[in-house]
Structures are given as structure tokens and as C-alpha cells.
Amino acid sequence: MSIKFSKTLLMSGNDFPITTSITLHHPTVEEILALDNGTCPDQTYWRYVQIILADPYANMVMLDDMGKNYLEASPYEVFSLQWDNYMKNYTENKELYDTYSFHPLNDISNALQFFIKEKHCFLKGVYKDGAAGFYDKNDITCQINQEVFQYIYEWVKEINKIDYSEQIKPADENARLVLIDDMRNKIKRARRKKKTDEDDSYNYLGNIMSAVSFCGNGFLTPFNLSHCKIYWLNEALTVSNKKSNANHILDGLYHGTIRSKDINKKELDWIK
């Protein structure tokens, strides 16, 4: 099933209802900064994004350990498996978790809740055909099946302008296995890194806020940034980069350092 949210809808900043009880929420920078009342809300936010996207590519090692081919897995299947793994972890360490009044599923529940306007408390169930599903324990008519999840997935992907085009596509089975081994080694190296090592991905949101505030068109500043929708923030940077690139090309054409036949005319149309 292919789902595409129009740019007009995303630019409106409006929430989007997908069922009578589930409305997709478009968060603001202020809402993101309020997460956990912590010093690094970026980390919490990107953890929520990664949980919802449940990218089979990023989880290829986990899937391989389970005897599954990541190329044949859907985000919904990975999301469901993550839920099972969190629940298994809780069951195996129940006494410890209960001591701290913490449940591993809180992360998944909070991630879902952050991008859904209504308040729900989802549990996992199974449909008659064996397919996994999620339902609100206070209203079993409110359900997330594969189709509903696809809307949530695409929404989170679109408002954050996530691009998977650079993911490696293995040519054959041998290449797939080599890629998995490389990813496994990458994960091991990451675990050996010192805790003081800085992960640039957690600064991504702050970097965008800084860029559009101080190098943008002047409409977004530190004084009004908190009310900005997350798509607006990402789109502001995208448009700024496109316009800057077009200006450099035109400057090169004007000074004769670039020949017109050597450029891609589409790069000059920075509006699209």
C-alpha cells in the first residue's frame, strides 16, 4: 500500500485524522523540547522516530539473528518484533524493573502517543488470521493494524523528511550476507566507543534550528522557533540549501566558470 501526504497538508501544520479515534499529530519544536524535561530532548525524540520507523535495514542484524531476511520484512513486522523483545526483556527481568517502577514498553507506548493526538494505552493482540494488532485497552474498537500503522509510519517519515535512498541495495544473496556482517561489526565498534564520544545524530535537530535561525530567510528566529512545526523546520533547511545552490550555479554562469550545457536545469528551480 502506497501512502503519500501532500506537501500542502504538511505545510499547513495540521494534524491528520486516519480513523475515528486516531489522529496523526504534527509536533512543534516546543513539544519536542519538552520531552522528558531532560537536557537532551533530541535523544528522546529521535529514539521515538526510530521506534516508529522500525527500519528493517537498520535492524538487519536483529532480523538475521532471528533467521529473517530484512529485505522481506516490513516496518510493521519489525515494530511488532520490537514490542515482543521489549516484553520478553521485562518478563526476564521483572523484579528489577518493578523495583524501579519502569517498563521497557514505555518507550514504544510513548513514541506512539507522541505522534497521535488522542490519549491511548495500547496492548498487543492477535487477529483471527494470526496477524499482529494493537488495541487500546480502554476502547478495543481503537486499533492499529498494518494499514493504520503504515499511515503512522509514512507520517513520521514525511514530517522529518527521512530519506532512505542512500541505503545499500545488495546485488545478490552473498552481498546481503556481507552487508549484514559489516553492520554487525559496526554495531560492535559502536558499543566499544567511549561513552564520552559525541553522536552527531543527536545534535541534528539543534543544528537545523541554528542553521534556519541564523542563515535562513529571516522568518524563523530563536524568538519564534518554538512554535514551528517539525516539517517547517526541515523544509526551511531544504529550501535554503536549494536556493543557495541555484544562486551559485547562476553566479557561475554569469562569470563564465560554468557552461550552461553542463548544468542540470532542474537545480535552478529551487521552489520544487
Side-chain angles (χ1 to χ4, degrees), residues 6-29:
S6 73
K7 190 170 183 177
T8 303
L9 172 63
L10 298 174
M11 281 300 300
S12 74
N14 294 335
D15 294 341
F16 182 75
I18 52 176
T19 71
T20 56
S21 54
I22 297 178
T23 302
L24 298 174
H25 178 55
H26 193 159
T28 62
V29 171

Side-chain angles (χ1 to χ4, degrees), residues 206-218 220-223 225 240:
N207 289 339
I208 295 180
M209 293 167 65
S210 176
V212 301
S213 294
F214 302 118
C215 297
N217 56 23
L220 290 177
T221 72
F223 304 104
L225 205 59
S240 178

Side-chain angles (χ1 to χ4, degrees), residues 55 116 144 186:
D55 181 22
I116 294 178
I144 297 177
K186 182 179 179 180

